[in-house]
């Protein structure tokens, strides 16, 4: 009987169970029947998320066809549990808080308030990033409170806590604002305490200009990468000023070749919008889809598993590799493509209100009567990508 060895490893920031065995066509067919199982070229094994349910699913599916060797997996779990226990023990040391309270763990009551806050954000359709940020900032506050009930905190105590964050923790203005937003959400949206923060000044964020690439640098960046799929990802992002999550979330049905538009669904702030579709990029995408094997079936850019979206992290890695290959040393991320798009349009004389609409920053409430006119003009705005393609000698 064949042996399947189970080992744990990290992939895309999460713990996975790897299934290692000698190549056998029959066993491959059986393993592929496991729900959500994937193939990793890097680790040369089938894998799925590490969990008790998935382990049970593996045993149930393959136990009649192969012997399971889980020694390595069990050793990993034992080691991990010891590390967690050490971290918990270290966290139980008493701390003198800015509220003059000596306590230890977060209380069950405060944990229930954290859960209630997260559920309130989910019901309000807050983005995953916002939920993650607010949750982490609120946890930092609860770790200071420990067993003191968060519901009992007064506005004066919150003022002293924020002073502690400024003078003792030396938090940046951005972090201070995030923490204040999280606390404001909890006390005003969860506990419904009105004007709880009225006398608490908001830290002034530093005015930082975004880093952008010149059009010549954009040409070098695009030519530095040879893989057609990777090129298509960067072309699409820059040509329409999209966020990385918006590029990876694009579906084949979001391409409107008749109106030369891309439909961006549920973007930041849970807003839909239409953006320009460069005719050159349309040809590039058609060429990419025709040559891609296997062809995408749902998302414009799909990962190793057909029908699943490309990961944001991988798209960011593609940008970083292209930047390094092009010899660009500016401190700029994938999001810099979006900043560069907006800057280049401004330099070409496009009205800022149209650019705000393209970027999804346009306020519908204040511009509702002009929205229909703006939509017509948006379709006729030419992407700055077209000029870079023509003047920069970009290769496809």
């Amino acid at each position: 009987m064949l042996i399947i060895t189970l080992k744990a490893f990290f992939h895309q920031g999460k713990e996975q169970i790897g299934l290692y065995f000698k190549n056998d066509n029959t066993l491959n067919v059986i393993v592929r029947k496991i729900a959500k199982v994937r193939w990793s070229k890097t680790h040369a094994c089938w894998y799925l998320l590490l969990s008790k349910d998935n382990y049970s699913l593996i045993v149930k599916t393959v136990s009649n066809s192969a012997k399971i060797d889980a020694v390595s997996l069990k050793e990993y779990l034992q080691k991990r549990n010891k590390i967690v226990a050490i971290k918990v023990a270290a966290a139980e040391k008493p701390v003198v808080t800015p509220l003059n309270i000596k306590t230890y763990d977060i209380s069950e009551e405060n944990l229930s308030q954290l859960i209630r806050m997260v559920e309130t954000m989910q019901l309000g359709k807050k983005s995953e990033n916002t939920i993650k940020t607010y949750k982490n900032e609120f946890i930092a506050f609860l770790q200071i409170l420990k067993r003191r009930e968060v519901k009992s905190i007064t506005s004066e105590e919150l003022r002293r806590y924020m002073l502690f964050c400024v003078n003792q923790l030396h938090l940046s203005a951005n972090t201070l604002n995030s923490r204040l937003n999280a606390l404001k959400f909890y006390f005003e949206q969860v506990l419904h305490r009105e004007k709880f923060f009225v006398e608490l000044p908001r830290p002034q964020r530093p005015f930082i200009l975004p880093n952008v690439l010149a059009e010549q640098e954009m040409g070098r960046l695009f030519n530095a990468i040879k893989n057609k799929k990777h090129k298509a990802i960067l072309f699409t992002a820059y040509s329409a000023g999209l966020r990385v999550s918006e590029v990876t979330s694009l579906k084949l049905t979001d391409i409107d070749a008749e109106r030369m538009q891309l439909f961006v669904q549920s973007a930041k702030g849970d807003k839909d919008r239409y953006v320009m579709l460069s005719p050159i990029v349309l040809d590039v995408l058609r060429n990419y889809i025709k040559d891609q094997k296997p062809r995408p079936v749902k998302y414009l850019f799909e990962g190793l598993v057909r029908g699943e979206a490309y990961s944001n992290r991988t798209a960011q890695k593609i940008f970083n590799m292209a930047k390094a290959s092009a010899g660009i040393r500016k401190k700029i991320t994938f999001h810099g493509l979006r900043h560069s798009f907006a800057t280049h349009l401004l330099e070409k004389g496009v009205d800022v209100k149209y650019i705000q609409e393209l970027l999804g920053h346009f306020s519908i409430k204040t511009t509702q009567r002009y929205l229909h006119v703006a939509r017509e003009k948006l379709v006729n705005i030419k992407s700055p990508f077209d000029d870079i393609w023509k003047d920069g000698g970009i290769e496809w």
Side-chain angles (χ1 to χ4, degrees):
M1 182 177 283
L2 291 171
I3 298 175
I4 295 180
T5 303
L6 303 183
K7 296 181 181 179
F9 63 88
F10 274 86
H11 182 60
Q12 295 182 346
K14 296 180 180 178
E15 294 173 305
Q16 312 288 350
I17 306 176
L19 288 76
Y20 295 82
F21 56 90
K22 290 182 180 180
N23 190 28
D24 181 271
N25 290 335
T26 303
L27 194 53
N28 270 319
V29 171
I30 294 170
V31 169
R32 290 179 68 175
K33 292 179 180 179
I34 300 173
K36 296 184 179 180
V37 72
R38 300 180 183 180
W39 175 257
S40 169
K41 288 184 180 179
T42 305
H43 297 275
C45 69
W46 295 100
Y47 72 96
L48 67 166
L49 201 64
L50 175 57
S51 69
K52 288 183 179 179
D53 289 342
N54 283 342
Y55 175 81
S56 300
L57 188 60
I58 292 170
V59 173
K60 182 179 178 182
T61 306
V62 306
S63 58
N64 292 330
S65 306
K67 182 180 178 182
I68 295 175
D69 177 7
V71 173
S72 177
L73 179 62
K74 289 178 180 178
E75 287 177 351
Y76 168 83
L77 291 172
Q78 288 172 354
K79 186 177 179 181
R80 185 192 66 174
N81 291 341
K82 285 181 181 178
I83 293 171
V84 171
I86 291 169
K87 286 183 177 179
V88 170
E92 291 179 350
K93 294 178 181 178
V95 177
V96 179
T97 75
L99 306 181
N100 297 319
I101 306 164
K102 289 184 179 181
T103 46
Y104 295 86
D105 280 329
I106 297 175
S107 68
E108 290 186 12
E109 171 59 28
N110 285 350
L111 284 175
S112 70
Q113 291 303 305
L114 173 63
I115 293 169
R116 185 180 172 193
M117 176 180 172
V118 171
E119 289 175 344
T120 304
M121 289 190 286
Q122 290 171 338
L123 289 170
K125 296 291 288 182
K126 292 282 187 184
S127 70
E128 287 185 14
N129 284 340
T130 299
I131 292 174
K132 181 179 178 181
T133 300
Y134 281 21
K135 182 180 73 173
N136 289 340
E137 298 297 350
F138 193 54
I139 287 172
F141 181 57
L142 295 181
Q143 287 173 335
I144 289 291
L145 293 181
K146 304 294 184 181
R147 298 188 183 281
R148 169 78 182 274
E149 286 194 12
V150 65
K151 292 190 295 186
S152 69
I153 298 299
T154 65
S155 57
E156 176 57 27
E157 286 175 319
L158 277 176
R159 181 177 177 276
R160 283 157 50 197
Y161 171 70
M162 292 306 296
L163 282 171
F164 171 79
C165 291
V166 172
N167 298 325
Q168 301 298 320
L169 302 182
H170 305 292
L171 300 182
S172 68
N174 285 336
T175 304
L176 288 169
N177 271 291
S178 294
R179 190 154 300 181
L180 192 58
N181 287 339
L183 295 173
K184 184 177 174 66
F185 181 88
Y186 171 73
F187 284 100
E188 294 185 355
Q189 302 300 318
V190 179
L191 297 186
H192 304 293
R193 295 187 185 175
E194 295 183 6
K195 299 179 180 180
F196 202 64
F197 289 78
V198 68
E199 295 181 358
L200 195 61
R202 183 170 289 277
Q204 186 172 352
R205 296 178 186 269
F207 183 73
I208 302 173
L209 291 173
N211 286 330
V212 299
L213 296 175
E215 292 191 5
Q216 294 84 353
E217 290 175 311
M218 293 298 307
R220 282 163 46 202
L221 180 83
F222 292 141
N223 281 330
I225 199 158
K226 303 304 177 186
N227 182 290
K228 285 191 174 183
K229 181 178 182 179
H230 296 173
K231 272 184 179 284
I233 289 171
L234 298 189
F235 286 176
T236 305
Y238 169 74
S239 67
L242 301 179
R243 301 176 178 91
V244 63
S245 59
E246 294 170 349
V247 178
T248 57
S249 298
L250 280 175
K251 297 176 182 175
L252 294 170
T253 52
D254 293 332
I255 302 173
D256 188 343
E258 295 293 324
R259 299 182 66 194
M260 295 305 294
Q261 290 181 331
L262 291 173
F263 180 45
V264 182
Q265 299 185 57
S266 300
K268 189 174 181 179
D270 203 27
K271 294 184 292 186
D272 296 343
R273 73 181 191 279
Y274 285 96
V275 296
M276 64 179 67
L277 173 58
S278 157
I280 296 172
V281 171
L282 177 60
D283 286 341
V284 165
L285 293 177
R286 283 172 170 167
N287 188 276
Y288 143 72
I289 292 171
K290 184 180 72 174
D291 294 343
Q292 186 69 18
K293 294 179 182 179
R295 284 195 181 187
V297 292
K298 181 179 179 181
Y299 291 94
L300 179 57
F301 303 109
E302 295 184 345
L304 293 175
V305 180
R306 293 189 78 190
E308 292 193 11
Y310 212 64
S311 76
N312 295 346
R313 184 175 297 180
T314 305
Q316 289 162 342
K317 285 182 179 178
I318 290 168
F319 174 84
N320 291 334
M321 287 189 297
K323 188 180 74 167
S325 299
I328 297 170
R329 297 184 178 181
K330 286 182 178 177
K331 191 176 181 181
I332 190 168
T333 65
F334 192 106
H335 202 71
L337 295 174
R338 180 172 160 86
H339 291 316
S340 300
F341 164 83
T343 302
H344 296 163
L345 283 180
L346 277 171
E347 291 171 349
K348 294 177 187 298
V350 177
D351 194 306
V352 67
K353 68 174 180 287
Y354 299 137
I355 297 172
Q356 288 175 333
E357 176 72 2
L358 286 167
L359 295 177
H361 292 166
F362 211 87
S363 173
I364 293 177
K365 290 182 179 179
T366 57
T367 60
Q368 197 166 12
R369 55 182 174 167
Y370 305 108
L371 194 56
H372 180 68
V373 177
R375 282 270 182 247
E376 293 177 351
K377 292 186 177 181
L378 282 171
V379 179
N380 297 320
I381 295 174
K382 187 172 75 169
S383 171
F385 175 83
D386 297 357
D387 289 336
I388 294 176
W389 177 278
K390 182 176 65 176
D391 300 334
I394 299 174
E395 300 170 357
W396 170 242

